[in-house]
Amino acid sequence: TLDQLKDLKQRLSEQGGFFDVDRKKLELEDKEQHTLDPDFWSNGPRAELIMKEIKFAKNWLSSFNKAQSAVDDIDVILE
């Protein structure tokens, strides 16, 4: 129903603020920039840690974006 959709949109919006999605995107971009440094792999364990953090952030953002997209799709269908 429309009320449930409004509630879902509100909760997703609140979660975005709670998790600070914009900050996560900026942190991801910053870490990806580090990988462009010619000396990035000179410290292998640190480089691997950063690559794992990048992978986790990408997966998290992808999941959040999929949830947001699904809510938007439902909104269009119910209009």
Side-chain angles (χ1 to χ4, degrees), residues 7 13 16 20 23 26 38-39 46 57-58 65 70 73 75:
D7 181 53
S13 175
D20 200 355
R23 183 181 54 81
L26 290 174
D39 294 326
R46 173 120 172 92
K58 283 183 176 183
N65 289 336
D73 290 347
D75 191 24

Side-chain angles (χ1 to χ4, degrees), residues 13-53:
S13 175
E14 290 170 357
Q15 291 300 316
F18 176 76
F19 292 118
D20 200 355
V21 175
D22 292 333
R23 183 181 54 81
K24 287 190 182 299
K25 288 178 184 177
L26 290 174
E27 289 174 356
L28 174 59
E29 290 173 11
D30 185 53
K31 288 178 183 178
E32 288 177 325
Q33 282 293 51
H34 285 294
T35 67
L36 301 177
D37 185 337
D39 294 326
F40 177 72
W41 288 102
S42 64
N43 182 346
R46 173 120 172 92
E48 287 181 30
L49 176 64
I50 291 173
M51 293 304 292
K52 285 180 183 179
E53 290 172 351

Side-chain angles (χ1 to χ4, degrees), residues 4-16 71:
Q4 289 173 319
L5 178 62
K6 287 179 186 177
D7 181 53
L8 184 58
K9 287 174 76 172
Q10 180 179 356
R11 286 190 299 168
L12 189 59
S13 175
E14 290 170 357
Q15 291 300 316
V71 169

Side-chain angles (χ1 to χ4, degrees), residues 57-71:
K58 283 183 176 183
N59 286 337
W60 190 93
L61 287 167
S62 175
S63 295
F64 185 85
N65 289 336
K66 285 178 186 177
Q68 182 69 54
S69 180
V71 169

